[in-house]
Structure formats: structure tokens, C-alpha cells
Amino acid sequence: MKNLDIRQLDINLNHWYVVARSDEVKSQPLGVILWHQEIVLYRDSTGQIHALENRCPHREVKLSHGKIKDDLLECVYHGWQFKPTGDCASVPYLAEHQKLPTCKIRTYPVQEKDGFIWLFPGDNSGEIRQPMGIPEWEHLNYIATVSTIDCNAHYSFLIENLMDMYHGHLHQDWQAWADPVLADIDEDDHQVDAHYQAKSYYKIDKIWSISQLFFPALRRLHPEPLNVSYVYPHWVSSLGQDFKIYCLLCPVNLRKTRAYLIHFTSLNAFWRLHKLPIWFRRWIKDSLFGSAQGLLDGLVRQDVQMIEEEQLAYLANPERKGYELNRALVSVQRLMGKQGEL
């Protein structure tokens, strides 16, 4: 670990990663990449998600260029069809005396949960733990906004950015917190929890207070705990009782990372709302989906610019070491090193 280059780390494949949003997988196959592995996702006629290696064994072209026909994945090139198990089901020009080829492509454990497609790319011969999940996704008291992060950088740069709350200086009017102070850190082989004390610009405790989200002049700073956790391989944050944020990772390769940032605003303070009919609360939740889109996308743009500059600086001078004063990042790098070497 002493001489380990964090920027060259692999990922630990024996975890669940998020490879797409549920609404991205529709009637046609979708190609995704998770740590150099080309994968095709598709739904069958019952809506169930399947994940296979994105490669036709006939001529090695991508199956994601094809289509779904009678619940089979059909290659666009010659029409070979494959079952969800990865076995070849049909070759349209097969002669009567010919047998189907015994070729088989890899399949992946996959789950559709809390609005996202979770995939396990590692060794599935043993017992596999369940995905982390997002309990606020279906909870009627939480309003969600989702932003996709695509950055040309190693995943470690993104994780360090998310765990370092001092970088709020970058965001100026975009951030929800100010004056963070790192209080303490808890860590083990799977998780790092960094506890900051900060000041929040928002206090969502009355109906009229929601207007703070849209009118900066109404905001007033007040103390709130700011907790951030690297629950390998994903990230979770909470600011007081009002905001919860997840970042679900899909590392593509050593120089490219995709992630999904999910921001939740809590309506727990509005006890009268909880007495309304379920259908009406569901309508409110659905109607307000994406209400923080401008804020979240603005934060992402600024962070991605800095992260990509860090990556370019590393590529230009990989031996040059920076000066890090946030001890939470030492713990984060230690965890990445342990998991990346497994």
C-alpha cells in the first residue's frame, strides 16, 4: 500500500455497481461499459431485466446493435439469437443436418431496484450480498432529482471530491453548506464515515420555507451536521434532516467514470402532509421530481471540470505529489487501496 498508485487502481468487482437508470432500458437493447467489460441490457416481455456480454460469438460484433425478438436477443449482423442464459437459440440459415453452435456468452447477475439497474460483475459462484439500495426512492416524503456524471478521470478523483467538503469554496452560490469543519472519522475495511460540522443555507421546516430553494435572498445560515460516507464502491451524504444525497458509481476504465448523483429533499417536517391520501402524496412526489435539476447539474459541471483537470495534471506528471490537508482523504485512499487490490 505504501507505494500504491491510487490513480492506477482497479475496482473490486465483487460488489454491485449501477450501470443504468431503469427508464434507460426500454424495448431495445442498451450497451453499457463497466470497468472494461462491454455489457448489453434488455427487457423481456414481462419487463424483467437481463444482462449479457455485449458480443456476438459469431463475428464479435455488439449485440446491443440488434433487437429483442420473442424474448431473444437477436444480432443485427446475421440474425443469430441468444437466450437470457447466454446460449445460442437460433441461427436463421441453419441447414437441417446442422446443429446449433455450442457457443455461450457470459451472463451477469442483475437487479432492477429503486429506479436503477444494479449489476454484479465479479465472481458469482458463491453467496452474493444484496445491493446497497436507496430507501428514499419510493418513500413518499422524499423528492428526488437525478444528475448523470460523466468525467474523463479515474474514479478515485470523483470519490475524493465527494468526501472533501472543503471544496464547497468552488461552488459559491451553488452549494447548500458553508464553513465545514471535520470533526471525526470512522473507518473499517468496507466504509469510511467523515463527520463534519457545517452551516446550512436551508431549513425546510415550514411550507413557506421551501421557497428558500428558489430564492437565495431568503436563506439564512444555521449549524447542521454534514456527514459523508464512502460505502465502497458508492457514496452517501446527509445535511441535517433535510437533504440526503447518493452517488452510485459505474467506473468505465482507468480514465473514465460514470456515476449517478441522486439528491433527496425531505418533506418529513410537514406532518399535515402525511395525513393526505396516498395517491395525492404520490402525485406531489412525482410532480416535484427533478425540481433541483438546475442546482444539481450546476454542481456537477463545476466538479467535473476540476476532476478532469486533476486527471490531466496526473497524466502529465504522475510522480508529482500534491499537498493534502484533509485527513478524511487519507482514510478514503486507504480503503480504495484495500478494495482495489482484492
Side-chain angles (χ1 to χ4, degrees):
M1 180 66 189
K2 191 173 183 179
N3 298 317
L4 188 66
D5 188 345
I6 295 295
R7 315 308 175 193
Q8 296 294 325
L9 270 180
D10 286 338
I11 65 171
N12 184 348
L13 294 173
N14 290 320
H15 288 271
W16 289 91
Y17 293 83
V18 167
V19 291
R21 292 175 60 171
S22 288
D23 57 13
E24 291 181 280
V25 188
K26 299 177 181 176
S27 58
Q28 296 301 314
L30 176 69
V32 299
I33 304 175
L34 174 57
W35 204 247
H36 310 282
Q37 299 183 46
E38 298 265 2
I39 299 165
V40 58
L41 307 172
Y42 75 94
R43 291 184 187 275
D44 61 25
S45 57
T46 68
Q48 184 177 349
I49 297 284
H50 301 282
L52 294 87
E53 183 182 0
N54 194 7
R55 176 187 66 86
C56 179
H58 176 215
R59 293 290 181 89
E60 305 292 316
V61 301
K62 294 181 180 180
L63 290 169
S64 56
H65 296 322
K67 61 182 179 181
I68 308 305
K69 189 174 181 180
D70 298 325
D71 285 346
L72 300 175
L73 183 57
E74 184 177 273
C75 180
V76 70
Y77 200 0
H78 291 83
W80 287 34
Q81 295 179 330
F82 297 89
K83 301 176 183 179
T85 58
D87 298 289
C88 183
S90 172
V91 175
Y93 51 86
L94 197 70
E96 289 186 9
H97 66 279
Q98 287 182 300
K99 293 183 179 180
L100 280 172
T102 57
C103 56
K104 184 171 183 176
I105 53 177
R106 180 181 176 182
T107 62
Y108 295 84
V110 65
Q111 290 189 35
E112 183 170 16
K113 183 176 183 180
D114 301 327
F116 292 88
I117 308 302
W118 302 73
L119 185 139
F120 189 90
D123 179 10
N124 62 351
S125 59
E127 184 178 353
I128 302 175
R129 292 188 301 174
Q130 289 299 304
M132 179 177 70
I134 315 168
E136 294 84 0
W137 187 262
E138 292 295 338
H139 199 297
L140 295 177
N141 290 351
Y142 289 89
I143 306 303
T145 298
V146 181
S147 186
T148 302
I149 301 173
D150 281 304
C151 57
N152 295 312
H154 188 265
Y155 70 90
S156 61
F157 288 112
L158 174 58
I159 293 299
E160 290 175 14
N161 168 277
L162 293 166
M163 291 296 291
D164 182 11
M165 291 297 98
Y166 296 123
H167 87 273
H169 180 269
L170 166 69
H171 300 306
Q172 300 299 323
D173 293 337
W174 291 104
Q175 87 274 24
W177 74 95
D179 302 329
V181 175
L182 181 61
D184 60 87
I185 303 168
D186 300 313
E187 62 178 299
D188 57 30
D189 289 342
H190 306 281
Q191 183 168 336
V192 172
D193 301 311
H195 308 287
Y196 294 83
Q197 186 61 44
K199 294 177 182 177
S200 174
Y201 283 97
Y202 308 105
K203 192 171 184 65
I204 312 301
D205 58 349
K206 298 180 176 63
I207 289 295
W208 65 265
S209 68
I210 296 179
S211 59
Q212 298 172 73
L213 299 174
F214 308 102
F215 301 104
L218 299 176
R219 300 169 192 167
R220 298 291 182 270
L221 285 171
H222 63 280
E224 289 281 17
L226 174 57
N227 298 310
V228 291
S229 297
Y230 183 28
V231 187
Y232 192 94
H234 307 295
W235 176 85
V236 185
S237 170
S238 62
L239 177 60
Q241 301 296 316
D242 297 327
F243 303 103
K244 187 80 173 282
I245 307 178
Y246 293 82
C247 190
L248 309 177
L249 265 73
C250 178
V252 176
N253 55 45
L254 283 170
R255 299 185 186 178
K256 187 174 180 60
T257 302
R258 166 165 280 210
Y260 296 90
L261 195 65
I262 308 105
H263 177 283
F264 290 101
T265 301
S266 170
L267 301 180
N268 283 323
F270 308 132
W271 60 270
R272 288 186 177 86
L273 182 65
H274 308 163
K275 296 184 176 182
L276 296 173
I278 295 296
W279 68 265
F280 186 70
R281 294 173 63 193
R282 169 62 63 183
W283 176 82
I284 292 175
K285 180 180 175 73
D286 293 344
S287 298
L288 293 177
F289 181 87
S291 56
Q293 200 71 59
L295 170 67
L296 207 60
D297 289 347
L299 290 168
V300 167
R301 282 193 299 270
Q302 291 178 330
D303 280 337
V304 167
Q305 181 183 1
M306 294 296 102
I307 290 167
E308 290 183 345
E309 286 190 17
E310 287 184 279
Q311 176 70 59
L312 289 174
Y314 165 78
L315 293 175
N317 295 282
E319 301 301 321
R320 182 180 293 170
K321 304 300 180 185
Y323 296 89
E324 183 53 64
L325 301 180
N326 187 344
R327 56 194 177 93
L329 298 198
V330 176
S331 297
V332 166
Q333 290 188 352
R334 185 160 47 237
L335 174 56
M336 283 190 285
K338 290 177 180 178
Q339 289 286 340
E341 289 186 311
L342 291 177

